[in-house]
Amino acid sequence: MTNSPALAASEPVIIPIDTPSLGDRSYLAHDGDVAFVVDPQRDIDRVLAIADEQGVSITHVFETHLHNDYVTGGLALARRTGASYHVNAADDVAFERTPTRDGDVVEVSPTLRVRAIATPGHTFTHLSYALESAGGSGEHDVTAVFTGGALLYGTTGRPDLLGQEHTHDLVHHQYGSARHLAAELPDQAAVLPTHGFGSFCSPGSSGSTTSSTIGDQKRSNPVLNRAEKDWVQQTLADLEAYPAYYVHMAPANSAGPAEPDLTAPRTADRDTIAASLGAGEWVVDLRTRTAFAAGHVTGTLNIGLDGQFATYLGWLIPWGTPLTLLGESAQQVADAQRELVRIGIDHLEGAATGSPQDWTARPLGSFERAAFADLAQVRHHRHVVVLDVRRESEHNDAHIEGAVNIPIHQILTSVDEVPAGEVWVHCAGGYRASIAASVLAAHGRHVVAIDDDFAQHAGSAGLPVTSAA
């Protein structure tokens, strides 16, 4: 594979399109003339720009499954380009598509064809797509496989998103599907998953791997080198909470989402912002945690664009709550709006840009930022509450003795469970701690946000850290 538009007939170009805030990848593949797209995100202008840059026409769009972590752009892209839209024939959808089944072969061009492979597990109707490209002899060889959530780098998609009543069947399907791909496809075939780059669609972590092959996965992926019973047991043990907004994604994708409207929201002035806060609506400050801690509109929440913004906002916000964004620039607001339409939050009440002094006439709120070394010193002099907002598994692996663990996704409903007193809140690196600190500050709590690396500095600072090991 190559990223050069000048290519031989046997060299397909495959361009990954990353969405880091959701931990996903889409793909555009072409032969220098025509292209197909796999699992496109909602904001299809990114895909269209790449096709234009490469000088190719999109003729086919493929969905590996009805996604649970984002709203697809597949239908909108197909309608915009006139491409055929390939969705599993067994999926109950409200739009016309090209019904695709296990074993179907789609001739994209004389040199590229795509073969559908049934790989249930992440969903019951999941399909993977083997890319077969023509060599000099005219024979088609498998050069890559788009695996969606069936086979990720070092793991697989999680099997519990359709409800606990289906998890047992799906986890065994997932094991068989991964084995099927490994047995059927050549070792040199590139593995191109949609999930696994930080997405909560995978159980456990896929690590920092950014590319792999079937042969690599045979050597490193537990699903391909462990007995089924052992793998199933470990996979089920690794399942943790997933973002609450997921429940809305598959229904939206089944209904056939339209192309998003990225028109800038109306401007919110000081009075509007104050009224929104007074009405219990969400006003989210997009700035970095450093800027937010130094000064912010009291009552606003900090979910910065420098982390998994859409994932955590979608996880925490009660679905349908009116939302206003505060950003340093119009571009920051536009970037956040793009992130939000990917998870189906299409309407914003308004937005404001500038600085906190532009957004309110009242005194600004603020809170301290600190390091773990500061916490170690403070605990010698006075009692403080240590709040750990990491996931339960992270806390169980290693935690500061006496710390209270309330995972970030539970903080809104568990504020009353945070013990009284001065609260020092931490996570693994600072991003989630700032979100939680903003929630506590909005409730009038005295809070200090620890903006530090837990793994590197908590123990070395002299704090008593209990480890599962």
Side-chain angles (χ1 to χ4, degrees):
M1 292 180 292
T2 177
N3 283 334
S4 170
L7 62 151
S10 59
E11 272 190 293
V13 175
I14 301 177
I15 302 173
I17 306 168
D18 289 305
T19 305
S21 64
L22 294 178
D24 291 323
R25 275 184 179 175
S26 307
Y27 299 91
L28 182 145
H30 71 82
D31 65 357
D33 183 25
V34 299
F36 66 89
V37 176
V38 180
D39 290 345
Q41 288 276 339
R42 181 90 179 281
D43 49 329
I44 62 173
D45 56 336
R46 290 192 296 165
V47 181
L48 293 168
I50 292 172
D52 184 62
E53 177 185 282
Q54 298 286 309
V56 296
S57 299
I58 297 172
T59 57
H60 298 76
V61 179
F62 296 90
E63 296 284 8
T64 57
H65 60 294
L66 295 179
H67 305 282
N68 286 282
D69 63 334
Y70 66 87
V71 176
T72 182
L75 181 60
L77 181 62
R79 286 175 172 170
R80 176 79 84 90
T81 61
S84 58
Y85 187 33
H86 296 266
V87 177
N88 195 315
D91 283 322
D92 184 13
V93 296
F95 51 85
E96 291 187 9
R97 87 297 206 174
T98 301
T100 305
R101 300 171 176 83
D102 181 39
D104 284 356
V105 175
V106 179
E107 301 286 347
V108 176
S109 76
T111 59
L112 298 179
R113 69 187 185 195
V114 174
R115 177 163 53 89
I117 305 171
T119 47
H122 190 46
T123 67
F124 283 106
T125 56
H126 192 288
L127 294 171
S128 296
Y129 297 101
L131 172 58
E132 302 176 349
S133 58
S137 64
E139 295 294 322
H140 283 74
D141 298 315
V142 176
T143 57
V145 56
F146 301 93
T147 57
L151 183 64
L152 313 184
Y153 298 152
T155 183
T156 66
R158 60 190 301 159
D160 61 329
L161 296 181
L162 301 186
Q164 291 298 322
E165 66 272 23
H166 299 301
T167 301
H168 176 270
D169 290 340
L170 286 171
V171 72
H172 288 279
H173 283 315
Q174 190 74 294
Y175 183 85
S177 292
R179 293 284 179 126
H180 176 52
L181 290 174
E184 180 174 332
L185 302 176
D187 282 0
Q188 67 270 21
V191 175
L192 304 173
T194 300
H195 307 309
F197 308 96
S199 170
F200 282 86
C201 275
S202 62
S205 171
S206 57
S208 58
T209 303
T210 57
S211 63
S212 189
T213 64
I214 289 291
D216 292 337
Q217 291 304 299
K218 285 180 178 178
R219 290 183 288 273
S220 64
N221 197 320
V223 74
L224 301 179
N225 52 46
R226 285 189 188 174
E228 183 170 4
K229 181 180 178 181
D230 294 339
W231 180 83
V232 165
Q233 183 177 16
Q234 185 61 57
T235 297
L236 296 179
D238 287 341
L239 294 175
E240 293 188 275
Y242 53 82
Y245 79 86
Y246 276 22
V247 69
H248 304 285
M249 297 300 97
N253 290 327
S254 298
E259 191 170 335
D261 180 3
L262 292 173
T263 303
R266 68 180 179 87
T267 300
D269 59 20
R270 289 177 172 181
D271 291 340
T272 303
I273 292 169
S276 295
L277 289 169
E281 299 177 3
W282 269 42
V283 181
V284 172
D285 191 323
L286 305 171
R287 298 174 302 146
T288 65
R289 53 188 180 267
T290 302
F292 184 87
H296 57 265
V297 179
T298 300
T300 58
L301 303 182
N302 178 223
I303 307 180
L305 275 177
D306 55 339
Q308 286 187 278
F309 167 74
T311 293
Y312 284 105
L313 189 147
W315 200 335
L316 292 172
I317 192 169
W319 205 248
T321 300
L323 173 64
T324 297
L325 301 179
L326 306 178
E328 293 174 331
S329 65
Q331 186 60 56
Q332 194 172 57
V333 170
D335 290 344
Q337 184 178 9
R338 180 177 292 270
E339 296 274 10
L340 292 172
V341 298
R342 292 171 181 157
I343 63 169
I345 298 178
D346 289 353
H347 175 72
L348 295 174
E349 290 298 307
T353 59
S355 65
Q357 291 83 358
D358 301 317
W359 305 330
T360 184
R362 298 176 181 177
L364 299 182
S366 65
F367 52 75
E368 296 176 68
R369 293 169 52 250
F372 285 107
D374 299 315
L375 175 61
Q377 289 298 316
V378 164
R379 282 168 54 125
H380 288 304
H381 304 289
R382 65 181 187 273
H383 171 74
V384 297
V385 177
V386 179
L387 176 63
D388 180 351
V389 295
R390 296 174 302 156
R391 297 189 302 275
E392 184 179 351
S393 64
E394 295 174 279
H395 180 83
N396 291 340
D397 284 344
H399 62 267
I400 298 169
E401 290 181 11
V404 177
N405 180 218
I406 301 177
I408 185 62
H409 62 276
Q410 298 175 8
I411 192 67
L412 279 171
T413 57
S414 304
V415 170
D416 291 343
E417 297 176 20
V418 180
E422 181 180 330
V423 182
W424 287 56
V425 57
H426 82 87
C427 60
Y431 184 79
R432 288 173 289 177
S434 182
I435 298 173
S438 72
V439 171
L440 293 172
H443 282 78
R445 298 298 301 271
H446 179 189
V447 63
V448 177
I450 298 178
D451 192 358
D452 200 0
D453 187 297
F454 177 84
Q456 292 188 23
H457 297 144
S460 63
L463 292 165
V465 174
T466 299
S467 174

